[in-house]
Amino acid sequence: AQSVAQPEDQVNVAEGNPLTVKCTYSVSGNPYLFWYVQYPNRGLQFLLKYITGDNLVKGSYGFEAEFNKSQTSFHLKKPSALVSDSALYFCAVGTDSWGKLQFGAGTQVVVTP
Amino acid sequence: GAVVSQHPSRVICKSGTSVKIECRSLDFQATTMFWYRQFPKQSLMLMATSNEGSKATYEQGVEKDKFLINHASLTLSTLTVTSAHPEDSSFYICSARDPQGSDGYTFGSGTRLTVV
């Protein structure tokens, strides 16, 4: 069974400050890890994924995430947040069978000017 | 990149009627599609996995007779909400598995269903 935990319901950050959204996972086998962003009444936009290779993954819109196997974490980061980054962020985990994804509960990011 | 087109984007229907939601993969063959339901400010709940040419696999607690899924071709999967009730009002999102694509999974833009 696979599971994902996003411990923070909401993250508040001032524009220009670093943004971190936390994610930990549990999966049997090798994890496939994903980050998505969702704006109101919209589908999910892909930010980045980790399948294999470098633990530091760079994605869209200046976001990056670091795969930490020992801590089973995949935290999303952005060095300098923008007001337009305010949205709902989801972490998801799958496996190398490319089956169903398990999503975290989501973290609402609020960036204030 | 890969695109999944989902229609309609929003629909209002009367209680007791049926509504069909379509998801099409525009530039790749989607052998597997996933259907999710999302309540306001909540996570995505997987409803079912559909494989082209075979019956969908439903998650526990999802009524297969109420949420009919058809995946008759490699580019089209449909979800029909039958005999809709107000409690079926929700945001429905489809996703196609695309391991060869840069994203791995491609999501539709979602359908806001309101049953009145």
Side-chain angles (χ1 to χ4, degrees):
Chain A
Q2 50 205 57
S3 65
V4 180
Q6 292 181 243
E8 300 153 317
D9 291 336
Q10 183 165 315
V11 169
N12 299 299
V13 63
E15 188 176 31
N17 282 359
L19 169 64
T20 298
V21 187
K22 295 180 180 178
C23 172
T24 58
Y25 67 90
S26 175
V27 67
S28 299
N30 296 318
Y32 284 14
L33 295 157
F34 302 80
W35 274 103
Y36 298 92
V37 60
Q38 185 181 36
Y39 293 92
N41 292 308
R42 303 292 294 275
L44 270 64
Q45 293 182 28
F46 171 81
L47 288 177
L48 51 80
K49 73 179 187 290
Y50 172 83
I51 303 298
T52 185
D54 289 340
N55 290 343
L56 183 63
V57 180
K58 294 188 182 296
S60 307
Y61 313 115
F63 285 94
E64 61 185 32
E66 184 165 12
F67 170 62
N68 188 317
K69 187 173 183 178
S70 62
Q71 296 185 6
T72 61
S73 67
F74 191 57
H75 302 329
L76 180 70
K77 297 183 179 182
K78 185 171 183 178
S80 178
L82 301 173
V83 173
S84 57
D85 293 328
S86 298
L88 188 57
Y89 290 78
F90 290 103
C91 179
V93 65
T95 67
D96 53 10
S97 64
W98 289 99
K100 57 187 178 182
L101 292 177
Q102 182 68 47
F103 282 84
T107 298
Q108 183 69 46
V109 170
V110 178
V111 182
T112 52
Chain B
V3 175
V4 169
S5 176
Q6 182 172 348
H7 292 281
S9 59
R10 57 181 64 224
V11 57
I12 301 173
C13 71
K14 293 184 178 180
S15 289
T17 62
S18 296
V19 173
K20 180 184 286 188
I21 301 170
E22 293 188 349
C23 274
R24 294 179 184 273
S25 57
L26 297 186
D27 47 8
F28 67 103
Q29 293 183 333
T31 55
T32 301
M33 279 203 179
F34 306 92
W35 286 93
Y36 297 88
R37 180 175 182 176
Q38 185 182 28
F39 291 102
K41 297 190 177 181
Q42 292 189 25
S43 188
L44 280 70
M45 181 192 77
L46 180 67
M47 299 174 66
T49 301
S50 74
N51 293 296
E52 184 267 336
S54 62
K55 291 183 178 180
T57 302
Y58 289 81
E59 295 297 302
Q60 190 173 8
V62 178
E63 300 175 61
K64 62 178 69 176
D65 293 331
K66 181 166 189 63
F67 299 100
L68 299 178
I69 291 173
N70 184 281
H71 194 162
S73 80
L74 286 171
T75 59
L76 175 64
S77 177
T78 61
L79 167 66
T80 301
V81 183
T82 63
S83 187
H85 291 283
E87 56 265 31
D88 298 325
S89 298
S90 191
F91 194 60
Y92 294 87
I93 305 176
C94 66
S95 171
R97 183 178 70 179
D98 181 26
Q100 306 305 318
S102 59
D103 298 355
Y105 296 86
T106 301
F107 286 80
S109 55
T111 297
R112 171 69 60 192
L113 170 63
T114 303
V115 184
V116 297

